[in-house]
Amino acid sequence: MTKTLIKTWSSTVASSGKTLVSLQRMSKRYGDHLVLPQIDLRVSEGEVLAIIGPSGSGKSTLLRCLNYIEQPSSGVITVADTQIEVGKDDNKRRVRELRRNLGMVFQSFNLFPHMSVLRNITLPQVRVLGRSEKEAEDVARRLLERVGLADKASQYPSRCSGGQQQRIAIARALALGPKVMLFDEPTSALDPELGLEVLGVMRELADSGMTMIVVTHEMSFAKNVSDHVVVMADGAIIEEGPSREVIPNPQTERARRFLRAVNER
Amino acid sequence: MTKTLIKTWSSTVASSGKTLVSLQRMSKRYGDHLVLPQIDLRVSEGEVLAIIGPSGSGKSTLLRCLNYIEQPSSGVITVADTQIEVGKDDNKRRVRELRRNLGMVFQSFNLFPHMSVLRNITLPQVRVLGRSEKEAEDVARRLLERVGLADKASQYPSRCSGGQQQRIAIARALALGPKVMLFDEPTSALDPELGLEVLGVMRELADSGMTMIVVTHEMSFAKNVSDHVVVMADGAIIEEGPSREVIPNPQTERARRFLRAVNER
Amino acid sequence: MTWEYFWLILSGVPLTIAVTLAALALGMVLGFPIMLARTAPFAPLRILTIVFIALVRSVPPVVWIFLIFFGVGADLVQMDPFTAAIMTFGLISAVNMAEIYRGGFIAVPVGQHEAATALNMSRWHHFRDVTLPQMFIFSLPAIATYAVGLLKDSAIASTVGLKELTFQGRYVTEMTYRGLEVLGLVGAAYILMSLPIAWLSRNLGETLKRRLAR
Amino acid sequence: TPSPDVKTLKPGVLTVAAQTYRPFSIVESDGSVTGVDGEILKQIAKLECLSIETISVDAAAALNYVQTGRADVTVGDWYRTKARSEVLFMSDPLYVDQMGIVSKEGATKLADLEGKTVGTVQTNLWVADLKKLYGAKLKTYPVLVQVQQDLKNGRIDAFVESYSIAMLAEKAGELGGFKAAVAGPDERVVSSKFPGQGSFPMNKDNESLLKAFNKRIAELHSNGFIKKALVQFGLSESAGNTGDPRWIE
Amino acid sequence: MIKLWMGTDWATINSWLPQLWDGLVVNLQLTAITLALGVPLGLIWAVTVRSRVRGLRYLTLFLVEVGRGAPALVLLQFFYAGLPQSGLVLSSMTSAIIGLAWSTGAYTSEIIRGGLEAVPAGQGEASQALNLSDWDTFRYVILPQGFWVALPALLGFAVLVFQGTSLCFAIALPEIMAQATDIGATTFRNFAAYALTGGIFAAICIPASLLVGWIEHKVAARSRR
Ligand SMILES: Nc1ncnc2c1ncn2[C@@H]1O[C@H](COP(=O)(O)OP(=O)(O)OP(=O)(O)O)[C@@H](O)[C@H]1O
Ligand SMILES: Nc1ncnc2c1ncn2[C@@H]1O[C@H](COP(=O)(O)OP(=O)(O)OP(=O)(O)O)[C@@H](O)[C@H]1O
Ligand SMILES: [Mg+2]
Ligand SMILES: [Mg+2]
């Protein structure tokens, strides 16, 4: 049990620089509208990647295609040992294999409102990993403690603040032991102090060595916590590099305009 | 006509230090829940006041009680020449007199979706001030130009971006020639670049001498544009003073904690 | 109107309630597969179901009860008025339930489905653990409202000889030639029976909204 | 002694779909059937050694019961007509029933009612003919109670009903100041020329039952049982003289 | 089923059609009048049920709950057969119109109330902040938006009203069910007559409800605009 838990929390502590996620020429179109013309991306084990960029630039679409919540239009997606060529071998079984290594956290939390907090975390474990109720509950309680919400186990989500709900959502995703965590603007529905709680948990997670891809508007998080940053505009990556270099000193005009807007607020 | 417009835009350029808004011992309770125990506040002509504070501290409630969108529970409200004692002389006529001097802008814009942008701005003028359609339209077009949206007049709000909608909402409120403008987190539903457009318009409005009360989480706006700041927590004002002093250097522990959270994001 | 007639009229109440409840239960069960067929990805099945739902809803209940009682009842299985009434109103409420369920299904936020997908839940578990319970909760107020309608429609069963409230009311009218009192009593009985359900639906709606509020 | 090889739906049981149509058919609250038709039926059942089971229904439903083989027979002053005989067997006549008029002035001619609002019960035979005669002024009702109430309320000026029924109602004081009279013959209304012959409608698949009924009806005519039943429910003995069976077109 | 159709050929059915058509016209007229009176009534009740005047609120609530709680059949008979006992004699048509309009008003008031309540609170707040009067707020802001929300349900209910007019046979109105019953009584073929009537209802209501579905779709698309 304890072994399981340690695995769920920090399976990748020993960061090795090995590539864990890669997108090759991935594209996505909605009807006539080509939202992502062609994306190449690479994330190493233990790395924290921040994706920033103006609204509508395709950040969410990128994340959602990566774990097949949205069907990509073409390209090759690799996560850990699973490689999928879009349209070729993306059958149900392979997609589920891909998702097994990916946890996802949404802007709007998306907890299941009709289940207690504890059940939110145990149910997927029981259903997806086939864990026993007992084992799943132990994992859930341990994780709730880590995110500082041990006392909320028996509450319903609607009785929790937004920041608490988001931390529960993180625990729920972690409980399945993903190798990579995806975050889509996890704090933008929260007000500052509540957002801070969530960012605290994320920072801890990063420190523990979790590989993370984070779409965010929080510049201080991007600057201080992420290793790399990708700036997107109009469905393309217009700039990328180490966060500490790109954010204070972007090279392209578009990225500079966006970052100025963010900082001037 | 031109006279009307100038009046709507900058009736208070000659800032005089005369008190324009005052709340005395204003309180608000919902059933058993005392949300605002007792608020005293004073805003001078031409002054820009920023209200900051954590979620649920009662910032919105304060603004909404001030213009009677929410019925306050007790206190005395004064705006320009209208003084209302809550529960005594707050009949419909008096409340409408109070509101005549107050314009309000909401977080969610609240434009009327079934009317064109132009109609959104002309309708209240015609119905409330009794202006002719012609006159109202001239005012509306002039204001749309000021907020940079002259070309959107015949569009429907849903065809405009959030930032554009908020600027239209500002124009709509200004068209009625208020002496004081109230803003309730006008940019927090917008992403950075769009928010910047709105903040630009607000800054211009402040420069033109408009008296403003702004609930906001935008610290650089609060620091650079507002003259005074009020920090609220749990329904009370815990700190207030000139923005340039309070924001970088709050005196109370609670204010310090909140500002740290805001800045660390 | 004597006490004897008074009690005779009221003796129809249990049958009225029984038909309503049984038809509602049947409808709630049958409505489910119909809803699935209505939302099936297989177009012919879906279109067929749409037409079927439209047909059942378009023909007034009194015609249905005759078709079932004398049509199906004569050729296939013999049935008494009670069975026929339950089958008729079961059929009618089944298609209405299907539409109510579908409304509840649509009301489940997209984010819920995305979360279930991202958590790698199988389609079945996704449906059973996430969609179904929420769909049902969203449907409950509409079901309660529908139950009130069903209660009143059950009066039509009197035409095939089911001795429920309306039947007894008409019988007493014929025996006594006094329409107003009988009508008042029958109407009041229906209203009294519907009030608790109406009250329930109002409150249920509020409670559930609060419960699911995010 | 029961007729040989007479068949019923349930062996030994005569299933009757019955409506209440006083005085011909009355369903008691305990479920048993009486009235003129009811008494005759009970007598026939007794002679055939059958017990009676009553299903209490609407007039329209009663016919469907018999037609679909859910009941052996129905009761309630059903006239023998050509159209009906295509769908069901109609037994030999039990009695004749004349067309009657109820009006303020005791009108005896259908023509006198032209221009007035006239009511009648839907299931009556003459509805189609009267419609031609009175057009939109004819109002049809599901049950007699409503006709009588509307007469008193002034919604209709007169109504057309079986004379026996109308006469009984007048005697019972249910017509207020209105009078019942026999409707004189009128070229345009078949029923006014030929009094209706009341009979038992039966399922077309069961000829044995028809035969048995016709045999017993003949017996009950000759031994005076039918006339006694008529008198018992306030009708005149002469109604028992039916003449030969005939069909109204 | 075969048995019940027995001998009912096309010629027979054809001969029934004029009579059924006469009845249908009554149903259609009644539907139009009922809606023309009932929907405005529903709108008024939707407003008065939220009135601050307690008496008005309770009166509306009573009228709405009775209108929805009593079977339409009982309402019809109340006006037709019940009121005369108190000296007020209404014609079949008038009783039908009043009874059905009451029931329509009761149901549509709930539909319209739902539509009005679906208008986001922010719309009313913005109107207040702009100092629009209560009446202007209702007329220019709440009603136009609430109307679109309520429209599909109102149209769907109109189809139900049409079906409901078939109950008026019980108060001696010569509508289509009454005609079918007449036919059944004269020919003993009431199963066929009712089935044909059902077919006529289906032929009208199916296209109508498909149309309503299409409008619903359009309205939903409009609100996403
Ligand atoms: N289901 C869809 N159908 C059609 N177009 C879509 C769909 N989802 C997204 N888009 C379009 O794809 C583009 C990228 O959207 P996406 O949500 O990925 O942007 P984003 O960068 O996440 O923006 P934000 O910061 O606002 O979340 C947008 O132009 C959007 O309109
Ligand atoms: N209609 C209401 N009924 C009951 N309580 C309410 C109502 N509206 C607000 N409150 C309570 O009043 C308190 C203050 O709310 P308010 O919206 O003014 O806070 P705020 O400072 O504007 O927060 P935020 O930054 O999230 O907008 C909160 O505790 C809230 O729960
Ligand atoms: Mg996004
Ligand atoms: Mg607020």
Side-chain angles (χ1 to χ4, degrees):
Chain A
M1 210 293 304
T2 319
K3 230 180 80 206
T4 316
L5 184 68
I6 289 176
K7 198 162 154 270
T8 63
W9 185 256
S10 53
S11 57
T12 51
V13 167
S15 169
S16 63
K18 193 183 103 194
T19 299
L20 198 57
V21 177
S22 101
L23 299 180
Q24 291 159 269
R25 300 176 310 286
M26 190 184 78
S27 75
K28 171 65 187 174
R29 59 168 67 244
Y30 288 108
D32 287 346
H33 184 32
L34 189 57
V35 175
L36 297 176
Q38 198 164 81
I39 293 280
D40 285 278
L41 195 73
R42 192 171 286 276
V43 183
S44 306
E45 204 167 332
E47 186 187 337
V48 176
L49 174 70
I51 302 181
I52 62 175
S55 184
S57 57
K59 309 179 296 293
S60 299
T61 307
L62 190 154
L63 276 202
R64 293 150 62 88
C65 285
L66 169 56
N67 75 350
Y68 258 81
I69 284 181
E70 213 83 65
Q71 163 87 40
S73 303
S74 69
V76 177
I77 300 174
T78 319
V79 176
D81 299 331
T82 312
Q83 184 165 66
I84 286 187
E85 198 181 333
V86 176
K88 282 264 174 54
D89 53 358
D90 49 358
N91 58 42
K92 238 180 220 171
R93 200 182 50 74
R94 299 275 294 158
V95 168
R96 295 197 73 189
E97 199 180 308
L98 180 86
R99 284 197 197 120
R100 181 142 298 190
N101 291 314
L102 297 169
M104 180 140 180
V105 174
F106 301 85
Q107 176 176 347
S108 50
F109 331 138
N110 295 344
L111 292 180
F112 302 133
H114 57 298
M115 298 176 194
S116 71
V117 166
L118 190 70
R119 192 83 193 125
N120 259 281
I121 307 179
T122 57
L123 183 89
Q125 299 179 59
V126 174
R127 296 294 192 231
V128 177
L129 304 182
R131 284 190 187 144
S132 72
E133 293 282 350
K134 172 85 188 65
E135 199 182 349
E137 189 176 325
D138 284 340
V139 173
R141 289 196 186 278
R142 219 55 76 96
L143 283 168
L144 277 175
E145 205 160 310
R146 285 296 302 252
V147 300
L149 295 170
D151 54 326
K152 292 282 177 185
S154 57
Q155 289 283 337
Y156 277 82
S158 56
R159 301 290 300 270
C160 301
S161 75
Q164 291 169 339
Q165 289 192 45
Q166 193 62 296
R167 286 183 281 158
I168 295 161
I170 294 174
R172 182 175 69 172
L174 287 173
L176 296 176
K179 289 210 174 78
V180 184
M181 284 286 286
L182 312 177
F183 293 83
D184 191 359
E185 305 195 24
T187 56
S188 56
L190 303 173
D191 73 325
E193 283 173 296
L194 298 179
L196 217 55
E197 299 171 353
V198 175
L199 290 172
V201 168
M202 287 170 64
R203 180 190 293 256
E204 227 178 283
L205 193 57
D207 291 345
S208 77
M210 176 60 85
T211 311
M212 292 161 64
I213 305 181
V214 186
V215 171
T216 186
H217 289 310
E218 312 276 357
M219 283 309 132
S220 71
F221 178 87
K223 200 151 56 184
N224 302 327
V225 182
S226 74
D227 307 302
H228 282 81
V229 68
V230 153
V231 186
M232 288 186 72
D234 300 322
I237 294 176
I238 55 168
E239 195 157 341
E240 62 179 309
S243 308
R244 253 159 274 257
E245 292 167 24
V246 174
I247 293 176
N249 191 21
Q251 297 302 305
T252 60
E253 169 50 28
R254 184 74 188 83
R256 217 172 296 142
R257 202 166 76 227
F258 172 71
L259 280 159
R260 199 171 52 233
V262 174
N263 289 322
E264 266 186 26
R265 291 183 67 163
Chain B
M1 209 290 306
T2 319
K3 229 180 81 206
T4 317
L5 184 67
I6 289 176
K7 197 162 156 272
T8 63
W9 185 255
S10 53
S11 57
T12 51
V13 167
S15 169
S16 64
K18 192 184 103 195
T19 299
L20 199 56
V21 177
S22 100
L23 298 180
Q24 292 160 266
R25 300 175 312 286
M26 190 184 77
S27 73
K28 170 67 185 173
R29 58 169 68 244
Y30 288 107
D32 288 346
H33 183 33
L34 190 56
V35 175
L36 297 176
Q38 197 163 80
I39 293 281
D40 285 278
L41 194 73
R42 193 172 284 275
V43 183
S44 308
E45 203 165 335
E47 184 187 338
V48 176
L49 174 71
I51 302 181
I52 63 176
S55 184
S57 57
K59 309 181 294 296
S60 301
T61 305
L62 189 154
L63 276 203
R64 295 152 61 87
C65 285
L66 169 54
N67 73 351
Y68 258 81
I69 285 181
E70 214 81 69
Q71 163 88 40
S73 302
S74 69
V76 177
I77 300 174
T78 318
V79 176
D81 299 331
T82 314
Q83 182 164 67
I84 286 187
E85 197 180 335
V86 176
K88 282 265 174 56
D89 52 359
D90 50 359
N91 57 43
K92 245 183 209 167
R93 199 181 53 73
R94 299 273 295 157
V95 167
R96 296 197 71 187
E97 199 180 309
L98 180 85
R99 285 196 194 126
R100 181 143 296 190
N101 291 314
L102 296 169
M104 179 142 181
V105 174
F106 300 84
Q107 175 174 352
S108 49
F109 331 139
N110 294 345
L111 292 180
F112 304 134
H114 58 299
M115 298 177 193
S116 70
V117 166
L118 191 69
R119 191 84 193 120
N120 259 280
I121 307 178
T122 58
L123 182 87
Q125 297 179 60
V126 173
R127 304 303 307 177
V128 176
L129 303 183
R131 283 189 188 146
S132 72
E133 292 283 350
K134 172 83 189 62
E135 199 182 348
E137 190 177 324
D138 284 339
V139 172
R141 289 198 186 278
R142 219 56 75 96
L143 283 169
L144 278 175
E145 204 161 308
R146 284 296 302 252
V147 300
L149 294 170
D151 54 326
K152 292 282 177 186
S154 58
Q155 290 283 338
Y156 276 82
S158 53
R159 301 291 299 270
C160 301
S161 75
Q164 292 169 338
Q165 289 192 44
Q166 194 61 298
R167 286 182 284 156
I168 296 162
I170 294 174
R172 181 174 70 173
L174 287 175
L176 296 176
K179 290 211 173 79
V180 183
M181 285 286 286
L182 313 177
F183 294 83
D184 192 358
E185 304 196 25
T187 56
S188 57
L190 303 173
D191 72 326
E193 284 174 295
L194 298 179
L196 217 55
E197 298 170 353
V198 174
L199 290 172
V201 168
M202 288 169 63
R203 181 190 292 256
E204 228 178 283
L205 194 57
D207 290 345
S208 77
M210 176 61 84
T211 312
M212 292 161 65
I213 304 181
V214 186
V215 171
T216 187
H217 290 312
E218 313 277 358
M219 282 309 133
S220 70
F221 178 87
K223 200 154 53 185
N224 302 324
V225 181
S226 72
D227 307 303
H228 282 82
V229 69
V230 153
V231 186
M232 288 186 71
D234 302 321
I237 294 175
I238 54 168
E239 195 156 342
E240 63 180 311
S243 309
R244 251 159 275 257
E245 292 168 23
V246 173
I247 294 177
N249 191 22
Q251 298 303 304
T252 59
E253 169 50 29
R254 185 70 190 85
R256 218 174 292 142
R257 202 165 78 226
F258 171 71
L259 281 160
R260 198 168 54 233
V262 174
N263 289 321
E264 266 182 29
R265 291 183 65 162
Chain C
M1 200 172 48
T2 61
W3 281 111
E4 192 191 340
Y5 285 131
F6 179 84
W7 289 118
L8 183 59
I9 292 172
L10 290 191
S11 72
V13 168
L15 264 182
T16 290
I17 292 175
V19 168
T20 306
L21 289 184
L24 194 66
L26 193 63
M28 283 174 74
V29 174
L30 290 182
F32 199 70
I34 298 176
M35 185 274 284
L36 291 182
R38 171 67 183 78
T39 53
F42 182 58
L45 177 62
R46 195 172 60 239
I47 291 165
L48 203 72
T49 314
I50 291 173
V51 172
F52 173 72
I53 292 175
L55 180 73
V56 172
R57 288 176 144 194
S58 297
V59 176
V62 63
V63 176
W64 277 124
I65 203 164
F66 269 70
L67 288 171
I68 287 177
F69 188 50
F70 297 115
V72 181
D75 285 355
L76 305 175
V77 270
Q78 293 277 313
M79 63 178 82
D80 54 46
F82 184 66
T83 318
I86 289 171
M87 283 187 61
T88 302
F89 292 108
L91 170 76
I92 295 171
S93 60
V95 303
N96 285 300
M97 284 301 160
E99 294 294 83
I100 289 173
Y101 288 152
R102 194 165 66 92
F105 182 85
I106 292 168
V108 178
V110 203
Q112 292 292 310
H113 301 302
E114 291 179 349
T117 310
L119 288 168
N120 226 349
M121 291 171 81
S122 69
R123 259 167 94 122
W124 164 240
H125 286 138
H126 176 166
F127 181 72
R128 197 189 95 179
D129 296 329
V130 178
T131 312
L132 194 66
Q134 293 189 66
M135 179 188 100
F136 188 69
I137 292 171
F138 284 124
S139 302
L140 269 180
I143 293 176
T145 308
Y146 183 71
V148 175
L150 196 60
L151 176 76
K152 294 181 296 161
D153 281 353
S154 70
I156 290 164
S158 62
T159 56
V160 291
L162 185 69
K163 294 188 177 58
E164 44 66 81
L165 186 54
T166 306
F167 185 97
Q168 302 292 16
R170 192 170 46 193
Y171 178 77
V172 172
T173 308
E174 280 162 24
M175 297 310 288
T176 62
Y177 295 131
R178 308 214 38 116
L180 190 56
E181 296 91 323
V182 175
L183 231 53
L185 179 60
V186 171
Y190 277 108
I191 292 172
L192 283 179
M193 284 189 283
S194 72
L195 280 183
I197 319 181
W199 181 85
L200 198 71
S201 83
R202 263 169 208 247
N203 284 277
L204 216 59
E206 293 306 308
T207 324
L208 292 173
K209 246 185 263 165
R210 237 178 291 128
R211 175 81 177 277
L212 288 191
R214 258 150 293 219
Chain D
T1 50
S3 316
D5 58 65
V6 61
K7 286 196 294 283
T8 54
L9 283 177
K10 282 191 231 163
V13 177
L14 188 66
T15 312
V16 186
Q19 50 158 338
T20 292
Y21 192 61
R22 296 187 299 168
F24 298 105
S25 149
I26 300 165
V27 183
E28 298 286 3
S29 41
D30 66 2
S32 68
V33 61
T34 172
V36 180
D37 289 23
E39 290 307 317
I40 299 173
L41 191 81
K42 281 194 277 194
Q43 186 63 21
I44 293 175
K46 200 165 117 197
L47 295 171
E48 292 291 342
C49 300
L50 297 168
S51 63
I52 291 189
E53 226 169 65
T54 316
I55 309 170
S56 159
V57 285
D58 258 17
L63 292 174
N64 276 313
Y65 264 85
V66 179
Q67 205 178 334
T68 56
R70 316 275 311 280
D72 291 307
V73 61
T74 180
V75 291
D77 193 19
W78 293 103
Y79 291 0
R80 291 166 50 89
T81 76
K82 188 87 185 147
R84 286 172 178 175
S85 73
E86 281 169 18
V87 180
L88 294 173
F89 282 140
M90 304 293 289
S91 75
D92 283 345
L94 306 170
Y95 43 79
V96 284
D97 184 29
Q98 278 174 303
M99 197 173 179
I101 298 175
V102 173
S103 65
K104 190 106 228 159
E105 53 284 340
T108 54
K109 285 202 217 97
L110 290 168
D112 293 347
L113 302 182
E114 277 178 81
K116 296 184 172 172
T117 311
V118 181
T120 195
V121 174
Q122 265 164 355
T123 41
N124 276 315
L125 193 59
W126 48 70
V127 170
D129 285 341
L130 291 187
K131 230 174 212 161
K132 284 184 210 131
L133 197 58
Y134 303 132
K137 289 278 196 181
L138 181 75
K139 294 189 74 173
T140 61
Y141 295 80
V143 289
L144 184 60
V145 189
Q146 294 182 349
V147 188
Q148 295 185 350
Q149 276 175 356
D150 271 10
L151 186 72
K152 284 183 214 158
N153 291 334
R155 282 204 188 97
I156 53 176
D157 304 312
F159 72 80
V160 176
E161 186 44 79
S162 143
Y163 175 67
S164 323
I165 291 178
M167 184 259 300
L168 279 180
E170 190 183 0
K171 268 194 207 155
E174 283 166 4
L175 292 183
F178 291 83
K179 300 188 190 69
V182 174
D186 186 309
E187 272 311 306
R188 297 161 296 183
V189 181
V190 181
S191 317
S192 69
K193 294 192 291 181
F194 310 99
Q197 294 179 324
S199 82
F200 293 125
M202 276 172 282
N203 190 287
K204 277 225 155 173
D205 290 342
N206 194 353
E207 204 162 352
S208 70
L209 193 65
L210 178 71
K211 284 198 176 128
F213 262 62
N214 284 345
K215 190 177 109 198
R216 297 301 179 192
I217 288 168
E219 278 174 37
L220 297 180
H221 270 303
S222 56
N223 70 12
F225 182 90
I226 290 182
K227 286 189 175 152
K228 229 169 59 212
L230 286 165
V231 172
Q232 182 190 343
F233 288 95
L235 301 178
S236 79
E237 208 178 85
S238 63
N241 305 321
T242 62
D244 289 337
R246 58 181 151 75
W247 299 116
I248 299 178
E249 288 287 341
Chain E
M1 200 107 70
I2 320 289
K3 267 186 216 157
L4 290 158
W5 278 106
M6 195 179 50
T8 314
D9 52 21
W10 286 114
T12 315
I13 286 178
N14 251 331
S15 71
W16 296 349
L17 288 181
Q19 196 182 343
L20 290 176
W21 170 253
D22 287 347
L24 185 61
V25 170
V26 176
N27 292 82
L28 291 171
Q29 283 172 342
L30 193 54
T31 308
I33 300 172
T34 299
L35 288 173
L37 294 176
V39 175
L41 192 64
L43 178 59
I44 292 169
W45 284 349
V47 176
T48 53
V49 81
R50 295 191 297 179
S51 164
R52 272 182 294 252
V53 185
R54 192 185 282 202
L56 187 59
R57 190 170 67 235
Y58 284 143
L59 176 68
T60 310
L61 206 59
F62 172 77
L63 291 173
V64 169
E65 289 304 350
V66 172
R68 298 192 322 148
L73 195 61
V74 174
L75 284 182
L76 290 174
Q77 289 181 340
F78 178 79
F79 286 106
Y80 187 79
L83 280 191
Q85 269 185 31
S86 65
L88 183 62
V89 180
L90 306 170
S91 74
S92 294
M93 194 65 180
T94 314
S95 316
I97 289 168
I98 297 179
L100 290 178
W102 184 357
S103 142
T104 302
Y107 278 98
T108 54
S109 82
E110 290 288 292
I111 293 173
I112 294 170
R113 188 174 64 91
L116 297 180
E117 279 173 5
V119 177
Q123 293 289 312
E125 291 174 358
S127 308
Q128 273 189 304
L130 289 165
N131 228 348
L132 288 172
S133 68
D134 290 351
W135 169 243
D136 281 353
T137 300
F138 181 72
R139 183 176 142 205
Y140 291 104
V141 180
I142 308 296
L143 187 59
Q145 296 183 61
F147 173 78
W148 285 105
V149 181
L151 183 67
L154 284 178
L155 290 173
F157 188 73
V159 177
L160 291 181
V161 169
F162 173 60
Q163 289 184 15
T165 57
S166 66
L167 291 176
C168 296
F169 78 94
I171 58 168
L173 195 71
E175 53 68 67
I176 193 165
M177 280 303 282
Q179 306 290 3
T181 310
D182 279 358
I183 292 172
T186 11
T187 62
F188 275 18
R189 299 183 198 280
N190 47 26
F191 181 84
Y194 284 130
L196 189 60
T197 305
I200 291 171
F201 271 104
I204 293 171
C205 294
I206 290 180
S209 41
L210 292 181
L211 186 70
V212 171
W214 181 77
I215 290 172
E216 194 170 358
H217 196 74
K218 284 281 154 192
V219 170
R222 186 193 144 97
S223 68
R224 274 196 305 272
R225 192 183 55 189

